[in-house]
Amino acid sequence: MFMADIAGVRVLYTGDYSREEDCHLCATEIPQFSLYFNSEKMAKTIRRLAEKTLEVGESVSGLLVKKAFTCQIMALDDLHVFSQLSTENISQRITIAYNGAFGVLKHRLKQIFESVESLPDEESEGPAFRVHERLTVKYESEKHISLHWRSDPISDMVSNSVIISILLILILITSYC
């Protein structure tokens, strides 16, 4: 449906793909109407976030859910109550073939990253260090190291850059041999 100006006459065209003849209404036959929209949006806090009364100007942190023209803010822990979605913590581990010295690897990563700290042997069952308090690099054997981290965007970014750095170190080691 659209409004057309044909020979100075405004016509509302209501066409469809049926076999019936199209209907044209002159502008005088079209009733006048106006639509007004309220631009304010309101979101309700529910479950755990609704337990505490907020003061004016106080912020709330949660998950915004839009459903059927309503907005609700809920705590992430309440997501499973209102949907079939669930949240999980994912621990990731990757083992990389590495035949270089473990101390050299730690030294090179210290040159690249701000925070590289050794872990006690009791905690990690062998030589290990932690990068940015997010990623643990463990010495598994003479030919392998493993990386362990909890998956989140920042930890994944740190782990990707450490993996790339290890692979570049391996390329440098093999190119000099």
Side-chain angles (χ1 to χ4, degrees):
M1 181 178 349
F2 63 90
M3 182 71 72
D5 192 2
I6 302 171
V9 177
R10 291 180 58 198
V11 175
L12 179 65
Y13 178 74
T14 58
D16 58 11
Y17 296 104
S18 66
R19 294 180 186 264
E20 296 177 14
E21 198 168 314
D22 293 336
C23 176
H24 300 272
L25 301 174
C26 291
T28 55
E29 299 173 24
I30 302 170
Q32 294 291 324
F33 64 93
S34 298
L35 296 175
Y36 297 99
F37 295 99
N38 185 358
S39 62
E40 288 185 14
K41 298 284 184 190
M42 187 168 84
K44 295 179 182 178
T45 56
I46 54 176
R47 301 267 307 178
R48 291 184 193 165
L49 292 179
E51 292 173 356
K52 179 184 162 197
T53 305
L54 297 174
E55 299 297 325
V56 175
E58 188 176 353
S59 64
V60 63
S61 178
L63 184 65
L64 178 67
V65 178
K66 292 178 80 174
K67 181 179 178 183
F69 302 105
T70 61
C71 296
Q72 300 172 336
I73 301 175
M74 68 178 72
L76 190 58
D77 298 334
D78 295 333
L79 181 62
H80 70 281
V81 175
F82 293 98
S83 69
Q84 294 178 0
L85 300 174
S86 64
T87 57
E88 299 293 331
N89 289 328
I90 300 173
S91 296
Q92 296 198 49
R93 176 182 181 198
I94 186 170
T95 302
I96 300 173
Y98 180 79
N99 55 0
F102 193 66
V104 171
L105 174 64
K106 182 178 177 185
H107 175 72
R108 293 293 183 197
L109 291 177
K110 272 186 178 181
Q111 291 176 330
I112 299 169
F113 299 99
E114 293 177 0
S115 173
V116 177
E117 297 143 7
S118 295
L119 292 177
D121 287 342
E122 310 88 44
E123 184 179 319
S124 59
E125 302 169 4
F129 58 88
R130 205 160 176 81
V131 179
H132 283 293
E133 298 178 2
R134 295 182 172 270
L135 173 78
T136 304
V137 180
K138 290 184 180 180
Y139 180 77
E140 298 289 338
S141 69
E142 291 180 8
K143 296 185 178 187
H144 295 94
I145 58 171
S146 64
L147 281 63
H148 306 263
W149 71 96
R150 279 252 158 120
S151 185
D152 64 58
I154 295 174
S155 297
D156 291 344
M157 181 180 63
V158 170
S159 66
N160 287 341
S161 59
V162 168
I163 291 168
I164 295 292
S165 301
I166 291 169
L167 294 176
L168 288 173
I169 291 168
L170 284 172
I171 289 171
L172 288 173
I173 290 172
T174 55
S175 66
Y176 288 121
C177 294

